[in-house]
Amino acid sequence: MRNRMKEFREIHNISQAQMAEMLHVSRQTIISIEKERYNPSLPLAIQIARCFKTNVEEVFILEDK
């Protein structure tokens, strides 16, 4: 799964640390999601999308393999 989290975070001028605090996760979690080493749970993905006032599909892209 690809994601546009870093792109959305930069558009909204939110640092990784601020994002982590908003979502109650570690900054390392944010880094791992952005580098596509970790796929968030569905509840976390929904929270992330809500932070950007968009839907999950705009932030996270499921690719066929």
Side-chain angles (χ1 to χ4, degrees):
M1 178 166 50
R2 290 187 319 109
N3 73 72
R4 298 172 58 207
M5 191 163 139
K6 182 176 182 180
E7 177 185 341
F8 274 95
R9 192 174 51 71
E10 289 174 347
I11 289 168
H12 291 273
N13 199 29
I14 300 171
S15 71
Q16 289 176 333
Q18 290 169 320
M19 190 88 204
E21 188 174 317
M22 291 165 63
L23 298 169
H24 306 288
V25 298
S26 68
R27 183 172 167 266
Q28 189 61 41
T29 298
I30 301 302
I31 292 167
S32 293
I33 293 170
E34 288 184 357
K35 291 188 176 191
E36 298 176 356
R37 289 183 288 184
Y38 171 72
N39 290 324
S41 65
L42 182 56
L44 181 55
I46 292 169
Q47 285 182 299
I48 291 166
R50 284 181 179 167
C51 285
F52 302 134
K53 296 180 175 61
T54 191
N55 58 45
V56 173
E57 293 86 356
E58 288 292 319
V59 183
F60 298 95
I61 300 101
L62 184 62
E63 294 182 318
D64 294 329
K65 289 198 173 191

